[in-house]
PDB file of all heavy atoms in Angstrom:
ATOM      1  N   ASN A   1      15.900   0.051   0.825  1.00 34.00           N
ATOM      2  CA  ASN A   1      15.877  -1.004  -0.177  1.00 34.00           C
ATOM      3  C   ASN A   1      15.171  -2.248   0.352  1.00 34.00           C
ATOM      4  O   ASN A   1      14.373  -2.871  -0.338  1.00 34.00           O
ATOM      5  CB  ASN A   1      17.302  -1.359  -0.614  1.00 34.00           C
ATOM      6  CG  ASN A   1      17.913  -0.267  -1.471  1.00 34.00           C
ATOM      7  OD1 ASN A   1      17.187   0.508  -2.089  1.00 34.00           O
ATOM      8  ND2 ASN A   1      19.229  -0.183  -1.490  1.00 34.00           N
ATOM      9  N   LYS A   2      15.470  -2.593   1.599  1.00 32.00           N
ATOM     10  CA  LYS A   2      14.798  -3.747   2.206  1.00 32.00           C
ATOM     11  C   LYS A   2      13.311  -3.486   2.335  1.00 32.00           C
ATOM     12  O   LYS A   2      12.486  -4.362   2.124  1.00 32.00           O
ATOM     13  CB  LYS A   2      15.401  -4.041   3.582  1.00 32.00           C
ATOM     14  CG  LYS A   2      16.843  -4.547   3.524  1.00 32.00           C
ATOM     15  CD  LYS A   2      17.407  -4.738   4.913  1.00 32.00           C
ATOM     16  CE  LYS A   2      18.861  -5.201   4.858  1.00 32.00           C
ATOM     17  NZ  LYS A   2      19.445  -5.331   6.207  1.00 32.00           N
ATOM     18  N   LEU A   3      12.993  -2.233   2.682  1.00 36.00           N
ATOM     19  CA  LEU A   3      11.599  -1.861   2.831  1.00 36.00           C
ATOM     20  C   LEU A   3      10.878  -1.987   1.497  1.00 36.00           C
ATOM     21  O   LEU A   3       9.756  -2.475   1.420  1.00 36.00           O
ATOM     22  CB  LEU A   3      11.507  -0.426   3.351  1.00 36.00           C
ATOM     23  CG  LEU A   3      10.111   0.183   3.519  1.00 36.00           C
ATOM     24  CD1 LEU A   3       9.341  -0.574   4.579  1.00 36.00           C
ATOM     25  CD2 LEU A   3      10.230   1.645   3.894  1.00 36.00           C
ATOM     26  N   SER A   4      11.514  -1.556   0.426  1.00 33.00           N
ATOM     27  CA  SER A   4      10.905  -1.621  -0.899  1.00 33.00           C
ATOM     28  C   SER A   4      10.584  -3.061  -1.275  1.00 33.00           C
ATOM     29  O   SER A   4       9.499  -3.358  -1.766  1.00 33.00           O
ATOM     30  CB  SER A   4      11.842  -1.023  -1.945  1.00 33.00           C
ATOM     31  OG  SER A   4      12.132   0.311  -1.639  1.00 33.00           O
ATOM     32  N   ILE A   5      11.529  -3.939  -1.050  1.00 27.00           N
ATOM     33  CA  ILE A   5      11.331  -5.342  -1.405  1.00 27.00           C
ATOM     34  C   ILE A   5      10.180  -5.939  -0.600  1.00 27.00           C
ATOM     35  O   ILE A   5       9.303  -6.607  -1.139  1.00 27.00           O
ATOM     36  CB  ILE A   5      12.626  -6.150  -1.152  1.00 27.00           C
ATOM     37  CG1 ILE A   5      13.729  -5.644  -2.093  1.00 27.00           C
ATOM     38  CG2 ILE A   5      12.390  -7.628  -1.345  1.00 27.00           C
ATOM     39  CD1 ILE A   5      15.096  -6.219  -1.764  1.00 27.00           C
ATOM     40  N   LYS A   6      10.166  -5.599   0.672  1.00 31.00           N
ATOM     41  CA  LYS A   6       9.113  -6.141   1.530  1.00 31.00           C
ATOM     42  C   LYS A   6       7.756  -5.574   1.126  1.00 31.00           C
ATOM     43  O   LYS A   6       6.763  -6.281   1.077  1.00 31.00           O
ATOM     44  CB  LYS A   6       9.410  -5.780   2.989  1.00 31.00           C
ATOM     45  CG  LYS A   6       8.350  -6.287   3.974  1.00 31.00           C
ATOM     46  CD  LYS A   6       8.715  -5.889   5.397  1.00 31.00           C
ATOM     47  CE  LYS A   6       7.654  -6.367   6.377  1.00 31.00           C
ATOM     48  NZ  LYS A   6       7.968  -5.975   7.761  1.00 31.00           N
ATOM     49  N   PHE A   7       7.723  -4.283   0.800  1.00 34.00           N
ATOM     50  CA  PHE A   7       6.460  -3.630   0.518  1.00 34.00           C
ATOM     51  C   PHE A   7       5.849  -4.100  -0.795  1.00 34.00           C
ATOM     52  O   PHE A   7       4.653  -4.295  -0.887  1.00 34.00           O
ATOM     53  CB  PHE A   7       6.665  -2.106   0.487  1.00 34.00           C
ATOM     54  CG  PHE A   7       5.399  -1.355   0.225  1.00 34.00           C
ATOM     55  CD1 PHE A   7       4.483  -1.161   1.237  1.00 34.00           C
ATOM     56  CD2 PHE A   7       5.109  -0.872  -1.039  1.00 34.00           C
ATOM     57  CE1 PHE A   7       3.296  -0.491   1.003  1.00 34.00           C
ATOM     58  CE2 PHE A   7       3.932  -0.199  -1.283  1.00 34.00           C
ATOM     59  CZ  PHE A   7       3.030   0.000  -0.257  1.00 34.00           C
ATOM     60  N   THR A   8       6.685  -4.268  -1.804  1.00 32.00           N
ATOM     61  CA  THR A   8       6.148  -4.608  -3.116  1.00 32.00           C
ATOM     62  C   THR A   8       5.562  -6.021  -3.147  1.00 32.00           C
ATOM     63  O   THR A   8       4.870  -6.374  -4.084  1.00 32.00           O
ATOM     64  CB  THR A   8       7.239  -4.506  -4.194  1.00 32.00           C
ATOM     65  OG1 THR A   8       8.375  -5.293  -3.796  1.00 32.00           O
ATOM     66  CG2 THR A   8       7.670  -3.064  -4.385  1.00 32.00           C
ATOM     67  N   LYS A   9       5.832  -6.818  -2.148  1.00 32.00           N
ATOM     68  CA  LYS A   9       5.251  -8.154  -2.104  1.00 32.00           C
ATOM     69  C   LYS A   9       3.812  -8.137  -1.614  1.00 32.00           C
ATOM     70  O   LYS A   9       3.095  -9.106  -1.750  1.00 32.00           O
ATOM     71  CB  LYS A   9       6.088  -9.060  -1.183  1.00 32.00           C
ATOM     72  CG  LYS A   9       7.458  -9.419  -1.756  1.00 32.00           C
ATOM     73  CD  LYS A   9       8.190 -10.327  -0.801  1.00 32.00           C
ATOM     74  CE  LYS A   9       9.567 -10.720  -1.346  1.00 32.00           C
ATOM     75  NZ  LYS A   9      10.293 -11.586  -0.417  1.00 32.00           N
ATOM     76  N   SER A  10       3.388  -7.008  -0.996  1.00 35.00           N
ATOM     77  CA  SER A  10       2.027  -6.940  -0.446  1.00 35.00           C
ATOM     78  C   SER A  10       1.158  -6.080  -1.342  1.00 35.00           C
ATOM     79  O   SER A  10       1.633  -5.145  -1.970  1.00 35.00           O
ATOM     80  CB  SER A  10       2.058  -6.351   0.973  1.00 35.00           C
ATOM     81  OG  SER A  10       2.588  -5.045   0.919  1.00 35.00           O
ATOM     82  N   PRO A  11      -0.152  -6.396  -1.423  1.00 33.00           N
ATOM     83  CA  PRO A  11      -1.044  -5.615  -2.280  1.00 33.00           C
ATOM     84  C   PRO A  11      -1.344  -4.254  -1.673  1.00 33.00           C
ATOM     85  O   PRO A  11      -2.124  -4.147  -0.735  1.00 33.00           O
ATOM     86  CB  PRO A  11      -2.312  -6.486  -2.348  1.00 33.00           C
ATOM     87  CG  PRO A  11      -2.290  -7.282  -1.093  1.00 33.00           C
ATOM     88  CD  PRO A  11      -0.845  -7.492  -0.737  1.00 33.00           C
ATOM     89  N   SER A  12      -0.736  -3.191  -2.189  1.00 38.00           N
ATOM     90  CA  SER A  12      -0.882  -1.862  -1.599  1.00 38.00           C
ATOM     91  C   SER A  12      -2.293  -1.326  -1.752  1.00 38.00           C
ATOM     92  O   SER A  12      -2.773  -0.578  -0.912  1.00 38.00           O
ATOM     93  CB  SER A  12       0.106  -0.890  -2.243  1.00 38.00           C
ATOM     94  OG  SER A  12      -0.154  -0.776  -3.624  1.00 38.00           O
ATOM     95  N   GLN A  13      -2.995  -1.680  -2.833  1.00 37.00           N
ATOM     96  CA  GLN A  13      -4.312  -1.107  -3.073  1.00 37.00           C
ATOM     97  C   GLN A  13      -5.275  -1.450  -1.942  1.00 37.00           C
ATOM     98  O   GLN A  13      -5.965  -0.594  -1.422  1.00 37.00           O
ATOM     99  CB  GLN A  13      -4.862  -1.627  -4.405  1.00 37.00           C
ATOM    100  CG  GLN A  13      -6.170  -0.989  -4.827  1.00 37.00           C
ATOM    101  CD  GLN A  13      -6.024   0.495  -5.084  1.00 37.00           C
ATOM    102  OE1 GLN A  13      -4.983   0.945  -5.519  1.00 37.00           O
ATOM    103  NE2 GLN A  13      -7.062   1.259  -4.785  1.00 37.00           N
ATOM    104  N   LYS A  14      -5.296  -2.711  -1.534  1.00 36.00           N
ATOM    105  CA  LYS A  14      -6.176  -3.125  -0.456  1.00 36.00           C
ATOM    106  C   LYS A  14      -5.801  -2.425   0.839  1.00 36.00           C
ATOM    107  O   LYS A  14      -6.651  -1.989   1.611  1.00 36.00           O
ATOM    108  CB  LYS A  14      -6.100  -4.642  -0.274  1.00 36.00           C
ATOM    109  CG  LYS A  14      -7.032  -5.175   0.814  1.00 36.00           C
ATOM    110  CD  LYS A  14      -6.950  -6.680   0.911  1.00 36.00           C
ATOM    111  CE  LYS A  14      -7.855  -7.211   2.018  1.00 36.00           C
ATOM    112  NZ  LYS A  14      -7.779  -8.669   2.150  1.00 36.00           N
ATOM    113  N   PHE A  15      -4.493  -2.275   1.068  1.00 42.00           N
ATOM    114  CA  PHE A  15      -4.014  -1.616   2.285  1.00 42.00           C
ATOM    115  C   PHE A  15      -4.491  -0.164   2.327  1.00 42.00           C
ATOM    116  O   PHE A  15      -4.990   0.313   3.322  1.00 42.00           O
ATOM    117  CB  PHE A  15      -2.492  -1.684   2.318  1.00 42.00           C
ATOM    118  CG  PHE A  15      -1.860  -0.880   3.426  1.00 42.00           C
ATOM    119  CD1 PHE A  15      -1.969  -1.292   4.730  1.00 42.00           C
ATOM    120  CD2 PHE A  15      -1.167   0.291   3.145  1.00 42.00           C
ATOM    121  CE1 PHE A  15      -1.388  -0.567   5.756  1.00 42.00           C
ATOM    122  CE2 PHE A  15      -0.589   1.017   4.153  1.00 42.00           C
ATOM    123  CZ  PHE A  15      -0.696   0.588   5.464  1.00 42.00           C
ATOM    124  N   ASN A  16      -4.374   0.521   1.194  1.00 60.00           N
ATOM    125  CA  ASN A  16      -4.754   1.925   1.148  1.00 60.00           C
ATOM    126  C   ASN A  16      -6.250   2.131   1.238  1.00 60.00           C
ATOM    127  O   ASN A  16      -6.715   3.143   1.752  1.00 60.00           O
ATOM    128  CB  ASN A  16      -4.220   2.573  -0.133  1.00 60.00           C
ATOM    129  CG  ASN A  16      -2.728   2.828  -0.050  1.00 60.00           C
ATOM    130  OD1 ASN A  16      -2.168   2.838   1.043  1.00 60.00           O
ATOM    131  ND2 ASN A  16      -2.105   3.012  -1.186  1.00 60.00           N
ATOM    132  N   GLU A  17      -7.040   1.203   0.720  1.00 57.00           N
ATOM    133  CA  GLU A  17      -8.486   1.349   0.761  1.00 57.00           C
ATOM    134  C   GLU A  17      -9.006   1.396   2.192  1.00 57.00           C
ATOM    135  O   GLU A  17     -10.042   1.990   2.468  1.00 57.00           O
ATOM    136  CB  GLU A  17      -9.152   0.189   0.011  1.00 57.00           C
ATOM    137  CG  GLU A  17      -9.062   0.318  -1.505  1.00 57.00           C
ATOM    138  CD  GLU A  17      -9.678  -0.875  -2.206  1.00 57.00           C
ATOM    139  OE1 GLU A  17     -10.036  -1.840  -1.510  1.00 57.00           O
ATOM    140  OE2 GLU A  17      -9.773  -0.855  -3.445  1.00 57.00           O
ATOM    141  N   GLU A  18      -8.287   0.800   3.109  1.00 77.00           N
ATOM    142  CA  GLU A  18      -8.722   0.749   4.493  1.00 77.00           C
ATOM    143  C   GLU A  18      -8.476   2.058   5.227  1.00 77.00           C
ATOM    144  O   GLU A  18      -9.037   2.292   6.289  1.00 77.00           O
ATOM    145  CB  GLU A  18      -7.999  -0.390   5.217  1.00 77.00           C
ATOM    146  CG  GLU A  18      -8.324  -1.773   4.655  1.00 77.00           C
ATOM    147  CD  GLU A  18      -7.475  -2.852   5.290  1.00 77.00           C
ATOM    148  OE1 GLU A  18      -6.600  -2.504   6.101  1.00 77.00           O
ATOM    149  OE2 GLU A  18      -7.685  -4.031   4.978  1.00 77.00           O
ATOM    150  N   ILE A  19      -7.646   2.927   4.688  1.00 87.00           N
ATOM    151  CA  ILE A  19      -7.287   4.160   5.402  1.00 87.00           C
ATOM    152  C   ILE A  19      -7.575   5.415   4.602  1.00 87.00           C
ATOM    153  O   ILE A  19      -7.322   6.516   5.078  1.00 87.00           O
ATOM    154  CB  ILE A  19      -5.794   4.144   5.809  1.00 87.00           C
ATOM    155  CG1 ILE A  19      -4.900   4.034   4.574  1.00 87.00           C
ATOM    156  CG2 ILE A  19      -5.511   3.026   6.790  1.00 87.00           C
ATOM    157  CD1 ILE A  19      -3.415   4.101   4.904  1.00 87.00           C
ATOM    158  N   THR A  20      -8.095   5.279   3.385  1.00 87.00           N
ATOM    159  CA  THR A  20      -8.374   6.458   2.563  1.00 87.00           C
ATOM    160  C   THR A  20      -9.829   6.481   2.121  1.00 87.00           C
ATOM    161  O   THR A  20     -10.526   5.472   2.151  1.00 87.00           O
ATOM    162  CB  THR A  20      -7.476   6.482   1.304  1.00 87.00           C
ATOM    163  OG1 THR A  20      -7.738   5.307   0.507  1.00 87.00           O
ATOM    164  CG2 THR A  20      -6.008   6.520   1.679  1.00 87.00           C
ATOM    165  N   GLU A  21     -10.278   7.671   1.712  1.00 84.00           N
ATOM    166  CA  GLU A  21     -11.638   7.852   1.214  1.00 84.00           C
ATOM    167  C   GLU A  21     -11.616   8.064  -0.289  1.00 84.00           C
ATOM    168  O   GLU A  21     -10.735   8.744  -0.815  1.00 84.00           O
ATOM    169  CB  GLU A  21     -12.288   9.075   1.879  1.00 84.00           C
ATOM    170  CG  GLU A  21     -12.458   8.965   3.373  1.00 84.00           C
ATOM    171  CD  GLU A  21     -13.022  10.237   3.968  1.00 84.00           C
ATOM    172  OE1 GLU A  21     -13.528  11.075   3.194  1.00 84.00           O
ATOM    173  OE2 GLU A  21     -12.948  10.391   5.192  1.00 84.00           O
ATOM    174  N   GLY A  22     -12.624   7.531  -0.977  1.00 83.00           N
ATOM    175  CA  GLY A  22     -12.755   7.744  -2.408  1.00 83.00           C
ATOM    176  C   GLY A  22     -11.543   7.246  -3.171  1.00 83.00           C
ATOM    177  O   GLY A  22     -10.850   6.324  -2.758  1.00 83.00           O
ATOM    178  N   ASN A  23     -11.280   7.871  -4.305  1.00 89.00           N
ATOM    179  CA  ASN A  23     -10.072   7.566  -5.080  1.00 89.00           C
ATOM    180  C   ASN A  23      -8.995   8.540  -4.627  1.00 89.00           C
ATOM    181  O   ASN A  23      -8.888   9.653  -5.149  1.00 89.00           O
ATOM    182  CB  ASN A  23     -10.348   7.696  -6.582  1.00 89.00           C
ATOM    183  CG  ASN A  23      -9.211   7.114  -7.415  1.00 89.00           C
ATOM    184  OD1 ASN A  23      -8.035   7.264  -7.078  1.00 89.00           O
ATOM    185  ND2 ASN A  23      -9.560   6.442  -8.494  1.00 89.00           N
ATOM    186  N   PHE A  24      -8.207   8.120  -3.647  1.00 92.00           N
ATOM    187  CA  PHE A  24      -7.280   9.023  -2.981  1.00 92.00           C
ATOM    188  C   PHE A  24      -6.297   9.661  -3.963  1.00 92.00           C
ATOM    189  O   PHE A  24      -6.084  10.873  -3.942  1.00 92.00           O
ATOM    190  CB  PHE A  24      -6.510   8.267  -1.893  1.00 92.00           C
ATOM    191  CG  PHE A  24      -5.579   9.150  -1.104  1.00 92.00           C
ATOM    192  CD1 PHE A  24      -6.031   9.830   0.007  1.00 92.00           C
ATOM    193  CD2 PHE A  24      -4.249   9.301  -1.481  1.00 92.00           C
ATOM    194  CE1 PHE A  24      -5.184  10.654   0.729  1.00 92.00           C
ATOM    195  CE2 PHE A  24      -3.392  10.123  -0.766  1.00 92.00           C
ATOM    196  CZ  PHE A  24      -3.868  10.797   0.341  1.00 92.00           C
ATOM    197  N   GLU A  25      -5.679   8.867  -4.825  1.00 93.00           N
ATOM    198  CA  GLU A  25      -4.666   9.406  -5.733  1.00 93.00           C
ATOM    199  C   GLU A  25      -5.266  10.432  -6.693  1.00 93.00           C
ATOM    200  O   GLU A  25      -4.676  11.498  -6.920  1.00 93.00           O
ATOM    201  CB  GLU A  25      -4.007   8.267  -6.515  1.00 93.00           C
ATOM    202  CG  GLU A  25      -3.100   7.383  -5.677  1.00 93.00           C
ATOM    203  CD  GLU A  25      -2.441   6.297  -6.511  1.00 93.00           C
ATOM    204  OE1 GLU A  25      -2.888   6.070  -7.645  1.00 93.00           O
ATOM    205  OE2 GLU A  25      -1.478   5.675  -6.021  1.00 93.00           O
TER     206      GLU A  25
END
């Protein structure tokens, strides 16, 4: 639960773009 709160405050899209190729999802 703490992790969820902390994570949702950060922009996940930018984070994922740095470690994935193309449109990962």
Side-chain angles (χ1 to χ4, degrees):
N1 288 336
K2 292 177 182 177
L3 177 64
S4 301
I5 295 171
K6 179 180 179 181
F7 181 78
T8 53
K9 290 181 179 179
S10 61
S12 61
Q13 186 64 32
K14 182 178 179 181
F15 172 71
N16 285 342
E17 284 178 353
E18 297 174 356
I19 60 176
T20 61
E21 297 176 15
N23 192 321
F24 183 87
E25 289 182 346

